[in-house]
Amino acid sequence: MTFRTLDDAGPLAGKTALVRVDFNVPMEDGRITDDTRLRVALPTIQKLRDAGAKVALMAHFDRPKGQRVPSMSLQPLVRPLSDLLGAPVRFAEDCIGDAAKAVISDLDAGGVALLENVRFHPGEEKNDPAFARQLAEFGDIYVNDAFSAAHRAHASTEGLARLLPAYAGESMRRELDALDAALGNPQKPVIGIVGGAKVSTKLDLLKNLVGKLDRLAIGGGMANTFLFAQGIDIGGSLAEKDMADTAREIMAEAKVKGCELLLPVDLVVSTEVKPGAASRTVKAGDALSADDKILDAGPETIARLTAAMDASKTLIWNGPLGVFEVPPFDAATVAAAKHAAELAKAGKLVAVAGGGDTVSALNHARKADDMTFVSTAGGAFLEWMEGKPLPGVEALNV
Ligand code: AMP
């Protein structure tokens, strides 16, 4: 896919850029607890300011369902954003109409305004063209820097791109480039790691990946379902026994498509899921008791996985390999993260990871920074891994 970036936008001095960002930050008692999403938007904002553009930021916060909900205002973000930028940020109490017009028209070249929550209007989530036209009214160009909202066809993520010259922001561009390097147009061989709790939530993802990858390692609770489907004793482990047929279908499909599946060959088992709980390592196929739970992959599985990474040029990773929140059941996830990060740092592996719990798992392993790219987009990253078109990205396609 091809898309225009800010480098293609021509002279921007005095022009107004309507910039869609993802400022849906975690908040507690009106304070931001993690400002990653504000930081992610800074390169785009700075680039536009340097070019002399006026920057009007559009974002959603929470789910006000088309109504003005004061507790879901973006106003509390003004000060932290201004501190990060080192420049004043004006706030418009509405994203359309006179309130937006007054603030935007008052901006100097390089000035920044944050517009109130776009989801206060029902037209946003309905992708209502009339609402999109109202948003477009004060802008000369549209910039989408919110990959994490790109799986939704909303007025500020999709509709606007049809009304104004549309460009990918810096963070969107980095994300799309990384995703392209991992799955769109990767260096082969490509290995995937898919872990996490359930097969049922990652069915489309598994089906898409077996058709594209050279190797796929399956771990976490979902591996239990695959082991069960092969008649392996899983004791009282988390598994979706009603998905056994589906697991067998995926295994058959992998065979047809030439994708080597790596399932755990040894398992870390405990009767309790609590920090420091006594555990033992068993071979897949050994008899387990009804209160035994498989909570992590064993050392032989890890060795096979790291060897498979050594033999690959590209890694795409979603989901932990065990109950990583409860040590010692974080061992396989941490070992895999360390190995991937080392290879990535040495330039031997393009390592791209993403999806909610994956980011926490990599942070837990303290290896997120060493990966080639870690996407913090949850739903959008998963839909992309499932091979689904993302409306916000498609709309930028030229
Ligand atoms: P997901 O959101 O599907 O990526 O699942 C992540 C969750 O899967 C984490 O909270 C892990 O603790 C959990 N998980 C991973 N492996 C297992 C396992 N063997 N048994 C139970 N839960 C697991």
Side-chain angles (χ1 to χ4, degrees), residues 1 74 118 141 158 229 258:
M1 87 157 271
L74 285 168
V118 282
I141 66 165
E158 204 271 349

Side-chain angles (χ1 to χ4, degrees), residues 188-192 206-217 249-262 312:
K188 291 186 154 247
V190 190
I191 180 168
L206 290 168
K207 286 184 176 160
N208 184 43
L209 292 186
V210 291
K212 291 198 167 149
L213 306 182
D214 303 288
R215 302 184 179 93
L216 175 62
E249 274 163 36
I250 291 170
M251 287 187 273
E253 180 77 4
K255 204 167 225 167
V256 172
K257 297 272 168 67
C259 172
E260 181 194 354
L261 277 192
L262 297 164
S312 302

Side-chain angles (χ1 to χ4, degrees), residues 102-337:
V103 170
I104 294 172
S105 57
D106 208 32
L107 289 178
D108 293 327
V112 180
L114 175 61
L115 310 183
E116 183 57 291
N117 196 339
V118 282
R119 288 195 187 165
F120 281 0
H121 294 271
E124 164 64 2
E125 290 185 70
K126 288 189 189 134
N127 199 4
D128 174 6
F131 176 66
R133 278 196 296 278
Q134 285 178 293
L135 282 173
E137 201 172 314
F138 314 116
D140 299 301
I141 66 165
Y142 167 71
V143 180
N144 191 348
D145 211 24
F147 174 79
S148 47
H151 55 317
R152 315 233 186 263
H154 292 172
S156 69
T157 62
E158 204 271 349
L160 260 180
R162 315 240 169 247
L163 299 175
L164 293 174
Y167 304 92
E170 295 297 284
S171 134
M172 172 74 94
R173 179 171 65 83
R174 276 190 62 213
E175 185 104 28
L176 295 179
D177 285 348
L179 300 189
D180 195 52
L183 210 52
N185 200 9
Q187 289 181 53
K188 291 186 154 247
V190 190
I191 180 168
I193 300 178
V194 178
K198 293 180 171 179
V199 174
S200 53
T201 55
K202 296 193 181 165
L203 205 54
D204 289 344
L205 191 151
L206 290 168
K207 286 184 176 160
N208 184 43
L209 292 186
V210 291
K212 291 198 167 149
L213 306 182
D214 303 288
R215 302 184 179 93
L216 175 62
I218 296 179
M222 72 163 67
N224 299 341
T225 302
F226 280 84
L227 296 177
F228 172 79
Q230 292 175 291
I232 290 169
D233 191 351
I234 59 165
S237 305
L238 173 78
E240 293 166 289
K241 295 186 175 169
D242 56 340
M243 299 291 288
D245 280 344
T246 308
R248 281 188 286 267
E249 274 163 36
I250 291 170
M251 287 187 273
E253 180 77 4
K255 204 167 225 167
V256 172
K257 297 272 168 67
C259 172
E260 181 194 354
L261 277 192
L262 297 164
L263 282 164
V265 290
D266 58 346
L267 311 157
V268 176
V269 170
S270 176
T271 52
E272 305 180 285
V273 190
K274 84 176 191 212
S279 62
R280 62 187 209 280
T281 301
V282 301
K283 297 261 172 249
D286 286 355
L288 298 180
S289 70
D291 54 358
D292 277 332
K293 294 177 190 57
I294 301 164
L295 299 175
D296 201 11
E300 199 185 327
T301 306
I302 298 172
R304 286 186 182 207
L305 177 56
T306 54
M309 283 188 209
D310 291 342
S312 302
K313 292 238 167 63
T314 304
L315 165 70
I316 171 91
W317 184 351
N318 172 266
L321 297 174
V323 183
F324 75 98
E325 305 94 330
V326 187
F329 309 112
D330 57 344
T333 305
V334 169

